[in-house]
Amino acid sequence: KDGSQVALCSGDKEIFIYSTSGSKDYTKWEKIYTLKEHTQKAAVIDWNHETGLILTGSYDRSIFVWKYSTEHKNYIPEFVNMDEKLAILDLKWNKQGTKFVVGTSSKKIFIGSFSKKNNWWTTTEIKKQHKSSVLSVEFSPNGKVIASVSFDGTCKIISAVLQDVDTEESKTSFGETSTFGDCLIKYKCQFWLNHVTWSPSGNMICYSSHDGTLNF
């Protein structure tokens, strides 16, 4: 949150956490933690600023939530129950760190949250939205809808309300949203789309296309 630490995918199975000591010169950074749990390349990572939880995804089809343990003086992985057959391509926390979204090679999108009853993280699939790999996903600032882009050339805005998590009343640019898995808007491009992000207000998105253009 304050820039004192940085988490990086190593290009292999591990995730490295460095202490920056306030320096922008990466040659002065010190590696302080190594997260080991994935069995293939760790591809994506997101560190939530509110909770301190780290979310990682891998080509081995698994994701983990990492929580710092003062007892072990290290980050400990927490189990995530998700039925995925192919590689994890992108994942993001919502702003509050209470749920996450995952995009995969199998065209699927998952929304995850913590189950106190089971004492692990569970996921629910948003079904049949894209016809090819989901390359980028992100929650809107209030966390009730997501934006997703795919190799199929579409960008979609999809409702993602979890009734037991999204308890605060807040309007989106699409009015009162209370559903899960409904496509609210769809944009079609001639090329596949690589990345999508929201403006801080949640009133605008920007997605990038493989033809080198940005669309707002």
Side-chain angles (χ1 to χ4, degrees), residues 35 64-70 72-78:
L35 311 187
F64 289 99
V65 173
W66 302 80
K67 184 177 182 179
Y68 186 77
S69 168
T70 53
H72 297 90
K73 296 183 180 180
N74 205 342
Y75 283 88
I76 306 301
E78 296 184 346

Side-chain angles (χ1 to χ4, degrees), residues 84-120:
E84 174 52 39
K85 304 279 191 298
L86 297 176
I88 309 301
L89 298 182
D90 197 24
L91 44 73
K92 297 281 180 15
W93 287 107
N94 67 342
K95 183 179 179 181
Q96 299 80 9
T98 54
K99 62 181 183 178
F100 55 81
V101 56
V102 182
T104 75
S105 296
S106 64
K107 317 173 194 176
K108 296 179 181 179
I109 300 172
F110 295 91
I111 304 295
S113 63
F114 188 75
S115 171
K116 292 182 179 179
K117 178 182 178 180
N118 298 308
N119 197 33
W120 64 55

